Amino acid sequence: QVESRDVRRHLDWLLEQIVAAQEVLRRMQSEPDLWMDVFCYWRSTHGQGGPMLSPKQMQRLAELDLTIGFDCY
């Protein structure tokens, strides 16, 4: 859905989808045996740098009670 190598653009798209279904997300999070997070695969072309998130993205994730993880190569 997103034509970018910047994980922030992908996360923006994902957060838009999640916020649109926020009521369903909250109901699912209230289930006792259910947990959820956002998990990203990230690969470095040159072995330098790393993924970055904006403060707004971190705030939105926190408001949705979602953690984010990265599998970096």
Side-chain angles (χ1 to χ4, degrees), residues 21-57:
Q22 191 168 356
E23 289 180 33
V24 174
L25 176 80
R26 296 280 183 222
R27 281 197 303 270
M28 291 172 65
Q29 288 173 323
S30 69
E31 294 291 325
D33 296 328
L34 187 87
W35 59 272
M36 59 185 71
D37 63 5
V38 176
F39 194 77
C40 304
Y41 171 85
W42 185 87
R43 191 180 80 180
S44 173
T45 303
H46 304 289
Q48 303 294 322
M52 294 175 59
L53 303 178
S54 72
K56 183 177 179 180
Q57 290 169 322

PDB file of all heavy atoms in Angstrom, residues 21-57:
ATOM      1  N   ALA A  21     -10.529   2.199  12.999  1.00  0.00           N
ATOM      2  CA  ALA A  21     -11.212   1.065  13.639  1.00  0.00           C
ATOM      3  C   ALA A  21     -10.933   1.045  15.141  1.00  0.00           C
ATOM      4  O   ALA A  21     -10.894  -0.016  15.763  1.00  0.00           O
ATOM      5  CB  ALA A  21     -10.745  -0.231  13.001  1.00  0.00           C
ATOM      6  N   GLN A  22     -10.780   2.210  15.719  1.00  0.00           N
ATOM      7  CA  GLN A  22     -10.355   2.317  17.116  1.00  0.00           C
ATOM      8  C   GLN A  22     -11.315   1.629  18.090  1.00  0.00           C
ATOM      9  O   GLN A  22     -10.879   1.012  19.058  1.00  0.00           O
ATOM     10  CB  GLN A  22     -10.190   3.787  17.487  1.00  0.00           C
ATOM     11  CG  GLN A  22      -9.508   4.010  18.799  1.00  0.00           C
ATOM     12  CD  GLN A  22      -9.118   5.463  18.983  1.00  0.00           C
ATOM     13  OE1 GLN A  22      -9.293   6.289  18.103  1.00  0.00           O
ATOM     14  NE2 GLN A  22      -8.592   5.777  20.138  1.00  0.00           N
ATOM     15  N   GLU A  23     -12.608   1.715  17.854  1.00  0.00           N
ATOM     16  CA  GLU A  23     -13.570   1.085  18.764  1.00  0.00           C
ATOM     17  C   GLU A  23     -13.394  -0.433  18.777  1.00  0.00           C
ATOM     18  O   GLU A  23     -13.433  -1.058  19.840  1.00  0.00           O
ATOM     19  CB  GLU A  23     -14.991   1.455  18.377  1.00  0.00           C
ATOM     20  CG  GLU A  23     -15.322   2.903  18.665  1.00  0.00           C
ATOM     21  CD  GLU A  23     -16.749   3.238  18.269  1.00  0.00           C
ATOM     22  OE1 GLU A  23     -17.632   2.356  18.364  1.00  0.00           O
ATOM     23  OE2 GLU A  23     -16.973   4.388  17.862  1.00  0.00           O
ATOM     24  N   VAL A  24     -13.186  -1.010  17.621  1.00  0.00           N
ATOM     25  CA  VAL A  24     -12.955  -2.462  17.531  1.00  0.00           C
ATOM     26  C   VAL A  24     -11.652  -2.815  18.234  1.00  0.00           C
ATOM     27  O   VAL A  24     -11.582  -3.801  18.976  1.00  0.00           O
ATOM     28  CB  VAL A  24     -12.934  -2.916  16.054  1.00  0.00           C
ATOM     29  CG1 VAL A  24     -12.542  -4.378  15.945  1.00  0.00           C
ATOM     30  CG2 VAL A  24     -14.265  -2.650  15.392  1.00  0.00           C
ATOM     31  N   LEU A  25     -10.627  -2.012  18.020  1.00  0.00           N
ATOM     32  CA  LEU A  25      -9.334  -2.236  18.672  1.00  0.00           C
ATOM     33  C   LEU A  25      -9.492  -2.255  20.190  1.00  0.00           C
ATOM     34  O   LEU A  25      -8.987  -3.147  20.866  1.00  0.00           O
ATOM     35  CB  LEU A  25      -8.344  -1.147  18.254  1.00  0.00           C
ATOM     36  CG  LEU A  25      -6.984  -1.202  18.936  1.00  0.00           C
ATOM     37  CD1 LEU A  25      -6.104  -2.245  18.269  1.00  0.00           C
ATOM     38  CD2 LEU A  25      -6.314   0.151  18.895  1.00  0.00           C
ATOM     39  N   ARG A  26     -10.206  -1.292  20.740  1.00  0.00           N
ATOM     40  CA  ARG A  26     -10.411  -1.220  22.192  1.00  0.00           C
ATOM     41  C   ARG A  26     -11.142  -2.459  22.715  1.00  0.00           C
ATOM     42  O   ARG A  26     -10.791  -2.986  23.767  1.00  0.00           O
ATOM     43  CB  ARG A  26     -11.191   0.041  22.559  1.00  0.00           C
ATOM     44  CG  ARG A  26     -10.475   1.319  22.233  1.00  0.00           C
ATOM     45  CD  ARG A  26      -9.455   1.641  23.290  1.00  0.00           C
ATOM     46  NE  ARG A  26      -8.839   2.925  22.964  1.00  0.00           N
ATOM     47  CZ  ARG A  26      -7.560   3.168  23.078  1.00  0.00           C
ATOM     48  NH1 ARG A  26      -6.757   2.222  23.518  1.00  0.00           N
ATOM     49  NH2 ARG A  26      -7.064   4.332  22.784  1.00  0.00           N
ATOM     50  N   ARG A  27     -12.149  -2.893  21.992  1.00  0.00           N
ATOM     51  CA  ARG A  27     -12.877  -4.105  22.423  1.00  0.00           C
ATOM     52  C   ARG A  27     -11.943  -5.312  22.418  1.00  0.00           C
ATOM     53  O   ARG A  27     -11.957  -6.130  23.338  1.00  0.00           O
ATOM     54  CB  ARG A  27     -14.088  -4.359  21.527  1.00  0.00           C
ATOM     55  CG  ARG A  27     -15.279  -3.500  21.858  1.00  0.00           C
ATOM     56  CD  ARG A  27     -16.562  -4.047  21.250  1.00  0.00           C
ATOM     57  NE  ARG A  27     -16.511  -4.212  19.808  1.00  0.00           N
ATOM     58  CZ  ARG A  27     -16.853  -3.272  18.930  1.00  0.00           C
ATOM     59  NH1 ARG A  27     -17.283  -2.102  19.347  1.00  0.00           N
ATOM     60  NH2 ARG A  27     -16.788  -3.517  17.642  1.00  0.00           N
ATOM     61  N   MET A  28     -11.138  -5.419  21.366  1.00  0.00           N
ATOM     62  CA  MET A  28     -10.209  -6.546  21.289  1.00  0.00           C
ATOM     63  C   MET A  28      -9.185  -6.479  22.414  1.00  0.00           C
ATOM     64  O   MET A  28      -8.842  -7.509  23.010  1.00  0.00           O
ATOM     65  CB  MET A  28      -9.511  -6.544  19.931  1.00  0.00           C
ATOM     66  CG  MET A  28     -10.424  -6.880  18.777  1.00  0.00           C
ATOM     67  SD  MET A  28      -9.656  -6.658  17.154  1.00  0.00           S
ATOM     68  CE  MET A  28      -8.384  -7.906  17.207  1.00  0.00           C
ATOM     69  N   GLN A  29      -8.698  -5.288  22.732  1.00  0.00           N
ATOM     70  CA  GLN A  29      -7.697  -5.147  23.789  1.00  0.00           C
ATOM     71  C   GLN A  29      -8.254  -5.493  25.162  1.00  0.00           C
ATOM     72  O   GLN A  29      -7.494  -5.813  26.070  1.00  0.00           O
ATOM     73  CB  GLN A  29      -7.136  -3.720  23.807  1.00  0.00           C
ATOM     74  CG  GLN A  29      -6.227  -3.437  22.644  1.00  0.00           C
ATOM     75  CD  GLN A  29      -5.802  -1.981  22.566  1.00  0.00           C
ATOM     76  OE1 GLN A  29      -6.571  -1.077  22.863  1.00  0.00           O
ATOM     77  NE2 GLN A  29      -4.565  -1.759  22.160  1.00  0.00           N
ATOM     78  N   SER A  30      -9.561  -5.433  25.323  1.00  0.00           N
ATOM     79  CA  SER A  30     -10.157  -5.758  26.621  1.00  0.00           C
ATOM     80  C   SER A  30     -10.287  -7.264  26.839  1.00  0.00           C
ATOM     81  O   SER A  30     -10.587  -7.703  27.950  1.00  0.00           O
ATOM     82  CB  SER A  30     -11.534  -5.089  26.752  1.00  0.00           C
ATOM     83  OG  SER A  30     -12.464  -5.691  25.870  1.00  0.00           O
ATOM     84  N   GLU A  31     -10.057  -8.042  25.800  1.00  0.00           N
ATOM     85  CA  GLU A  31     -10.099  -9.506  25.939  1.00  0.00           C
ATOM     86  C   GLU A  31      -8.917  -9.959  26.803  1.00  0.00           C
ATOM     87  O   GLU A  31      -7.782  -9.552  26.571  1.00  0.00           O
ATOM     88  CB  GLU A  31     -10.032 -10.179  24.564  1.00  0.00           C
ATOM     89  CG  GLU A  31     -11.222  -9.912  23.687  1.00  0.00           C
ATOM     90  CD  GLU A  31     -12.477 -10.578  24.205  1.00  0.00           C
ATOM     91  OE1 GLU A  31     -12.386 -11.694  24.758  1.00  0.00           O
ATOM     92  OE2 GLU A  31     -13.554  -9.970  24.055  1.00  0.00           O
ATOM     93  N   PRO A  32      -9.168 -10.828  27.780  1.00  0.00           N
ATOM     94  CA  PRO A  32      -8.096 -11.209  28.718  1.00  0.00           C
ATOM     95  C   PRO A  32      -6.939 -11.990  28.102  1.00  0.00           C
ATOM     96  O   PRO A  32      -5.809 -11.879  28.564  1.00  0.00           O
ATOM     97  CB  PRO A  32      -8.819 -12.054  29.766  1.00  0.00           C
ATOM     98  CG  PRO A  32     -10.083 -12.507  29.111  1.00  0.00           C
ATOM     99  CD  PRO A  32     -10.440 -11.468  28.088  1.00  0.00           C
ATOM    100  N   ASP A  33      -7.175 -12.776  27.079  1.00  0.00           N
ATOM    101  CA  ASP A  33      -6.119 -13.616  26.503  1.00  0.00           C
ATOM    102  C   ASP A  33      -5.574 -13.064  25.196  1.00  0.00           C
ATOM    103  O   ASP A  33      -4.936 -13.791  24.432  1.00  0.00           O
ATOM    104  CB  ASP A  33      -6.641 -15.037  26.280  1.00  0.00           C
ATOM    105  CG  ASP A  33      -7.000 -15.717  27.587  1.00  0.00           C
ATOM    106  OD1 ASP A  33      -6.347 -15.421  28.604  1.00  0.00           O
ATOM    107  OD2 ASP A  33      -7.940 -16.528  27.585  1.00  0.00           O
ATOM    108  N   LEU A  34      -5.805 -11.801  24.923  1.00  0.00           N
ATOM    109  CA  LEU A  34      -5.382 -11.207  23.670  1.00  0.00           C
ATOM    110  C   LEU A  34      -4.403 -10.067  23.935  1.00  0.00           C
ATOM    111  O   LEU A  34      -4.621  -9.253  24.826  1.00  0.00           O
ATOM    112  CB  LEU A  34      -6.607 -10.663  22.912  1.00  0.00           C
ATOM    113  CG  LEU A  34      -6.327 -10.160  21.515  1.00  0.00           C
ATOM    114  CD1 LEU A  34      -6.414 -11.327  20.528  1.00  0.00           C
ATOM    115  CD2 LEU A  34      -7.323  -9.104  21.139  1.00  0.00           C
ATOM    116  N   TRP A  35      -3.315 -10.036  23.180  1.00  0.00           N
ATOM    117  CA  TRP A  35      -2.388  -8.907  23.242  1.00  0.00           C
ATOM    118  C   TRP A  35      -2.011  -8.551  21.819  1.00  0.00           C
ATOM    119  O   TRP A  35      -2.115  -9.355  20.920  1.00  0.00           O
ATOM    120  CB  TRP A  35      -1.151  -9.214  24.094  1.00  0.00           C
ATOM    121  CG  TRP A  35      -0.352 -10.374  23.610  1.00  0.00           C
ATOM    122  CD1 TRP A  35      -0.527 -11.684  23.940  1.00  0.00           C
ATOM    123  CD2 TRP A  35       0.743 -10.343  22.685  1.00  0.00           C
ATOM    124  NE1 TRP A  35       0.390 -12.469  23.271  1.00  0.00           N
ATOM    125  CE2 TRP A  35       1.184 -11.667  22.496  1.00  0.00           C
ATOM    126  CE3 TRP A  35       1.397  -9.325  21.993  1.00  0.00           C
ATOM    127  CZ2 TRP A  35       2.240 -11.987  21.660  1.00  0.00           C
ATOM    128  CZ3 TRP A  35       2.451  -9.657  21.162  1.00  0.00           C
ATOM    129  CH2 TRP A  35       2.849 -10.968  21.013  1.00  0.00           C
ATOM    130  N   MET A  36      -1.607  -7.328  21.630  1.00  0.00           N
ATOM    131  CA  MET A  36      -1.253  -6.888  20.280  1.00  0.00           C
ATOM    132  C   MET A  36      -0.145  -5.857  20.339  1.00  0.00           C
ATOM    133  O   MET A  36       0.039  -5.170  21.341  1.00  0.00           O
ATOM    134  CB  MET A  36      -2.476  -6.333  19.541  1.00  0.00           C
ATOM    135  CG  MET A  36      -3.138  -5.170  20.203  1.00  0.00           C
ATOM    136  SD  MET A  36      -4.652  -4.635  19.361  1.00  0.00           S
ATOM    137  CE  MET A  36      -5.757  -5.956  19.723  1.00  0.00           C
ATOM    138  N   ASP A  37       0.603  -5.812  19.262  1.00  0.00           N
ATOM    139  CA  ASP A  37       1.652  -4.818  19.101  1.00  0.00           C
ATOM    140  C   ASP A  37       1.860  -4.588  17.613  1.00  0.00           C
ATOM    141  O   ASP A  37       1.212  -5.204  16.786  1.00  0.00           O
ATOM    142  CB  ASP A  37       2.950  -5.241  19.791  1.00  0.00           C
ATOM    143  CG  ASP A  37       3.565  -6.508  19.215  1.00  0.00           C
ATOM    144  OD1 ASP A  37       3.047  -7.043  18.204  1.00  0.00           O
ATOM    145  OD2 ASP A  37       4.563  -6.975  19.747  1.00  0.00           O
ATOM    146  N   VAL A  38       2.754  -3.669  17.302  1.00  0.00           N
ATOM    147  CA  VAL A  38       3.152  -3.406  15.922  1.00  0.00           C
ATOM    148  C   VAL A  38       4.581  -3.905  15.797  1.00  0.00           C
ATOM    149  O   VAL A  38       5.429  -3.598  16.635  1.00  0.00           O
ATOM    150  CB  VAL A  38       3.077  -1.894  15.594  1.00  0.00           C
ATOM    151  CG1 VAL A  38       3.591  -1.614  14.199  1.00  0.00           C
ATOM    152  CG2 VAL A  38       1.648  -1.382  15.773  1.00  0.00           C
ATOM    153  N   PHE A  39       4.846  -4.707  14.784  1.00  0.00           N
ATOM    154  CA  PHE A  39       6.175  -5.273  14.612  1.00  0.00           C
ATOM    155  C   PHE A  39       6.659  -4.986  13.200  1.00  0.00           C
ATOM    156  O   PHE A  39       5.917  -5.195  12.237  1.00  0.00           O
ATOM    157  CB  PHE A  39       6.171  -6.776  14.879  1.00  0.00           C
ATOM    158  CG  PHE A  39       7.529  -7.349  15.036  1.00  0.00           C
ATOM    159  CD1 PHE A  39       8.232  -7.184  16.216  1.00  0.00           C
ATOM    160  CD2 PHE A  39       8.121  -8.031  13.993  1.00  0.00           C
ATOM    161  CE1 PHE A  39       9.508  -7.708  16.343  1.00  0.00           C
ATOM    162  CE2 PHE A  39       9.399  -8.555  14.121  1.00  0.00           C
ATOM    163  CZ  PHE A  39      10.091  -8.390  15.298  1.00  0.00           C
ATOM    164  N   CYS A  40       7.871  -4.489  13.081  1.00  0.00           N
ATOM    165  CA  CYS A  40       8.418  -4.073  11.779  1.00  0.00           C
ATOM    166  C   CYS A  40       9.722  -4.788  11.475  1.00  0.00           C
ATOM    167  O   CYS A  40      10.554  -4.984  12.354  1.00  0.00           O
ATOM    168  CB  CYS A  40       8.709  -2.566  11.788  1.00  0.00           C
ATOM    169  SG  CYS A  40       7.305  -1.548  12.206  1.00  0.00           S
ATOM    170  N   TYR A  41       9.873  -5.149  10.228  1.00  0.00           N
ATOM    171  CA  TYR A  41      11.136  -5.673   9.708  1.00  0.00           C
ATOM    172  C   TYR A  41      11.868  -4.492   9.088  1.00  0.00           C
ATOM    173  O   TYR A  41      11.292  -3.728   8.322  1.00  0.00           O
ATOM    174  CB  TYR A  41      10.843  -6.734   8.646  1.00  0.00           C
ATOM    175  CG  TYR A  41      12.055  -7.193   7.879  1.00  0.00           C
ATOM    176  CD1 TYR A  41      12.880  -8.193   8.376  1.00  0.00           C
ATOM    177  CD2 TYR A  41      12.366  -6.626   6.647  1.00  0.00           C
ATOM    178  CE1 TYR A  41      13.989  -8.621   7.663  1.00  0.00           C
ATOM    179  CE2 TYR A  41      13.472  -7.050   5.927  1.00  0.00           C
ATOM    180  CZ  TYR A  41      14.273  -8.037   6.446  1.00  0.00           C
ATOM    181  OH  TYR A  41      15.370  -8.460   5.740  1.00  0.00           O
ATOM    182  N   TRP A  42      13.136  -4.322   9.435  1.00  0.00           N
ATOM    183  CA  TRP A  42      13.917  -3.209   8.888  1.00  0.00           C
ATOM    184  C   TRP A  42      15.296  -3.720   8.509  1.00  0.00           C
ATOM    185  O   TRP A  42      15.951  -4.404   9.290  1.00  0.00           O
ATOM    186  CB  TRP A  42      14.036  -2.087   9.917  1.00  0.00           C
ATOM    187  CG  TRP A  42      14.717  -0.872   9.378  1.00  0.00           C
ATOM    188  CD1 TRP A  42      14.140   0.155   8.712  1.00  0.00           C
ATOM    189  CD2 TRP A  42      16.107  -0.557   9.463  1.00  0.00           C
ATOM    190  NE1 TRP A  42      15.079   1.084   8.364  1.00  0.00           N
ATOM    191  CE2 TRP A  42      16.309   0.673   8.809  1.00  0.00           C
ATOM    192  CE3 TRP A  42      17.208  -1.206  10.004  1.00  0.00           C
ATOM    193  CZ2 TRP A  42      17.544   1.267   8.698  1.00  0.00           C
ATOM    194  CZ3 TRP A  42      18.448  -0.610   9.890  1.00  0.00           C
ATOM    195  CH2 TRP A  42      18.600   0.608   9.250  1.00  0.00           C
ATOM    196  N   ARG A  43      15.706  -3.408   7.287  1.00  0.00           N
ATOM    197  CA  ARG A  43      17.012  -3.846   6.801  1.00  0.00           C
ATOM    198  C   ARG A  43      17.817  -2.640   6.350  1.00  0.00           C
ATOM    199  O   ARG A  43      17.337  -1.797   5.588  1.00  0.00           O
ATOM    200  CB  ARG A  43      16.837  -4.805   5.633  1.00  0.00           C
ATOM    201  CG  ARG A  43      18.140  -5.495   5.261  1.00  0.00           C
ATOM    202  CD  ARG A  43      17.913  -6.410   4.118  1.00  0.00           C
ATOM    203  NE  ARG A  43      17.911  -5.558   2.923  1.00  0.00           N
ATOM    204  CZ  ARG A  43      17.734  -5.983   1.698  1.00  0.00           C
ATOM    205  NH1 ARG A  43      17.495  -7.251   1.484  1.00  0.00           N
ATOM    206  NH2 ARG A  43      17.760  -5.169   0.686  1.00  0.00           N
ATOM    207  N   SER A  44      19.054  -2.581   6.791  1.00  0.00           N
ATOM    208  CA  SER A  44      19.944  -1.496   6.415  1.00  0.00           C
ATOM    209  C   SER A  44      20.701  -1.853   5.151  1.00  0.00           C
ATOM    210  O   SER A  44      21.242  -2.956   5.035  1.00  0.00           O
ATOM    211  CB  SER A  44      20.947  -1.224   7.546  1.00  0.00           C
ATOM    212  OG  SER A  44      21.911  -0.284   7.134  1.00  0.00           O
ATOM    213  N   THR A  45      20.762  -0.937   4.221  1.00  0.00           N
ATOM    214  CA  THR A  45      21.497  -1.163   2.985  1.00  0.00           C
ATOM    215  C   THR A  45      22.995  -1.149   3.225  1.00  0.00           C
ATOM    216  O   THR A  45      23.743  -1.939   2.656  1.00  0.00           O
ATOM    217  CB  THR A  45      21.132  -0.076   1.951  1.00  0.00           C
ATOM    218  OG1 THR A  45      19.728  -0.104   1.765  1.00  0.00           O
ATOM    219  CG2 THR A  45      21.814  -0.326   0.625  1.00  0.00           C
ATOM    220  N   HIS A  46      23.444  -0.258   4.119  1.00  0.00           N
ATOM    221  CA  HIS A  46      24.875  -0.068   4.338  1.00  0.00           C
ATOM    222  C   HIS A  46      25.328  -0.421   5.754  1.00  0.00           C
ATOM    223  O   HIS A  46      26.469  -0.157   6.113  1.00  0.00           O
ATOM    224  CB  HIS A  46      25.262   1.388   4.044  1.00  0.00           C
ATOM    225  CG  HIS A  46      24.870   1.829   2.667  1.00  0.00           C
ATOM    226  ND1 HIS A  46      25.498   1.367   1.532  1.00  0.00           N
ATOM    227  CD2 HIS A  46      23.885   2.654   2.237  1.00  0.00           C
ATOM    228  CE1 HIS A  46      24.937   1.914   0.466  1.00  0.00           C
ATOM    229  NE2 HIS A  46      23.949   2.685   0.860  1.00  0.00           N
ATOM    230  N   GLY A  47      24.441  -0.957   6.573  1.00  0.00           N
ATOM    231  CA  GLY A  47      24.812  -1.325   7.930  1.00  0.00           C
ATOM    232  C   GLY A  47      24.865  -0.152   8.889  1.00  0.00           C
ATOM    233  O   GLY A  47      25.346  -0.281  10.006  1.00  0.00           O
ATOM    234  N   GLN A  48      24.370   0.988   8.486  1.00  0.00           N
ATOM    235  CA  GLN A  48      24.379   2.182   9.324  1.00  0.00           C
ATOM    236  C   GLN A  48      22.949   2.661   9.553  1.00  0.00           C
ATOM    237  O   GLN A  48      22.039   2.318   8.812  1.00  0.00           O
ATOM    238  CB  GLN A  48      25.177   3.314   8.650  1.00  0.00           C
ATOM    239  CG  GLN A  48      26.603   2.961   8.308  1.00  0.00           C
ATOM    240  CD  GLN A  48      27.446   2.720   9.541  1.00  0.00           C
ATOM    241  OE1 GLN A  48      27.301   3.407  10.542  1.00  0.00           O
ATOM    242  NE2 GLN A  48      28.319   1.742   9.486  1.00  0.00           N
ATOM    243  N   GLY A  49      22.789   3.500  10.553  1.00  0.00           N
ATOM    244  CA  GLY A  49      21.485   4.110  10.813  1.00  0.00           C
ATOM    245  C   GLY A  49      20.512   3.142  11.433  1.00  0.00           C
ATOM    246  O   GLY A  49      20.884   2.105  11.959  1.00  0.00           O
ATOM    247  N   GLY A  50      19.270   3.508  11.380  1.00  0.00           N
ATOM    248  CA  GLY A  50      18.232   2.667  11.952  1.00  0.00           C
ATOM    249  C   GLY A  50      16.879   3.334  11.774  1.00  0.00           C
ATOM    250  O   GLY A  50      16.788   4.484  11.365  1.00  0.00           O
ATOM    251  N   PRO A  51      15.817   2.601  12.081  1.00  0.00           N
ATOM    252  CA  PRO A  51      14.486   3.166  11.930  1.00  0.00           C
ATOM    253  C   PRO A  51      14.250   4.277  12.941  1.00  0.00           C
ATOM    254  O   PRO A  51      14.820   4.269  14.037  1.00  0.00           O
ATOM    255  CB  PRO A  51      13.560   1.977  12.185  1.00  0.00           C
ATOM    256  CG  PRO A  51      14.376   1.016  12.966  1.00  0.00           C
ATOM    257  CD  PRO A  51      15.796   1.235  12.576  1.00  0.00           C
ATOM    258  N   MET A  52      13.428   5.231  12.544  1.00  0.00           N
ATOM    259  CA  MET A  52      13.086   6.350  13.425  1.00  0.00           C
ATOM    260  C   MET A  52      11.580   6.522  13.461  1.00  0.00           C
ATOM    261  O   MET A  52      10.894   6.236  12.483  1.00  0.00           O
ATOM    262  CB  MET A  52      13.725   7.641  12.909  1.00  0.00           C
ATOM    263  CG  MET A  52      15.224   7.633  12.959  1.00  0.00           C
ATOM    264  SD  MET A  52      15.951   9.121  12.219  1.00  0.00           S
ATOM    265  CE  MET A  52      15.228  10.403  13.201  1.00  0.00           C
ATOM    266  N   LEU A  53      11.078   6.990  14.599  1.00  0.00           N
ATOM    267  CA  LEU A  53       9.675   7.342  14.755  1.00  0.00           C
ATOM    268  C   LEU A  53       9.591   8.803  15.154  1.00  0.00           C
ATOM    269  O   LEU A  53      10.467   9.316  15.853  1.00  0.00           O
ATOM    270  CB  LEU A  53       9.018   6.500  15.846  1.00  0.00           C
ATOM    271  CG  LEU A  53       9.083   4.987  15.690  1.00  0.00           C
ATOM    272  CD1 LEU A  53       8.427   4.319  16.886  1.00  0.00           C
ATOM    273  CD2 LEU A  53       8.415   4.560  14.412  1.00  0.00           C
ATOM    274  N   SER A  54       8.531   9.457  14.744  1.00  0.00           N
ATOM    275  CA  SER A  54       8.319  10.845  15.147  1.00  0.00           C
ATOM    276  C   SER A  54       7.634  10.865  16.514  1.00  0.00           C
ATOM    277  O   SER A  54       6.977   9.885  16.905  1.00  0.00           O
ATOM    278  CB  SER A  54       7.451  11.576  14.121  1.00  0.00           C
ATOM    279  OG  SER A  54       6.107  11.128  14.210  1.00  0.00           O
ATOM    280  N   PRO A  55       7.752  11.972  17.242  1.00  0.00           N
ATOM    281  CA  PRO A  55       7.030  12.080  18.511  1.00  0.00           C
ATOM    282  C   PRO A  55       5.518  11.885  18.337  1.00  0.00           C
ATOM    283  O   PRO A  55       4.873  11.259  19.176  1.00  0.00           O
ATOM    284  CB  PRO A  55       7.359  13.498  18.987  1.00  0.00           C
ATOM    285  CG  PRO A  55       8.701  13.775  18.399  1.00  0.00           C
ATOM    286  CD  PRO A  55       8.656  13.111  17.040  1.00  0.00           C
ATOM    287  N   LYS A  56       4.955  12.385  17.227  1.00  0.00           N
ATOM    288  CA  LYS A  56       3.523  12.225  16.983  1.00  0.00           C
ATOM    289  C   LYS A  56       3.167  10.746  16.823  1.00  0.00           C
ATOM    290  O   LYS A  56       2.141  10.292  17.330  1.00  0.00           O
ATOM    291  CB  LYS A  56       3.114  13.003  15.734  1.00  0.00           C
ATOM    292  CG  LYS A  56       1.637  12.950  15.448  1.00  0.00           C
ATOM    293  CD  LYS A  56       1.273  13.804  14.250  1.00  0.00           C
ATOM    294  CE  LYS A  56      -0.220  13.720  13.978  1.00  0.00           C
ATOM    295  NZ  LYS A  56      -0.615  14.528  12.832  1.00  0.00           N
ATOM    296  N   GLN A  57       4.019   9.994  16.123  1.00  0.00           N
ATOM    297  CA  GLN A  57       3.761   8.564  15.961  1.00  0.00           C
ATOM    298  C   GLN A  57       3.837   7.842  17.306  1.00  0.00           C
ATOM    299  O   GLN A  57       2.998   6.987  17.602  1.00  0.00           O
ATOM    300  CB  GLN A  57       4.752   7.951  14.976  1.00  0.00           C
ATOM    301  CG  GLN A  57       4.526   8.397  13.555  1.00  0.00           C
ATOM    302  CD  GLN A  57       5.649   7.993  12.640  1.00  0.00           C
ATOM    303  OE1 GLN A  57       6.823   8.025  13.001  1.00  0.00           O
ATOM    304  NE2 GLN A  57       5.294   7.612  11.413  1.00  0.00           N
TER     305      GLN A  57
END
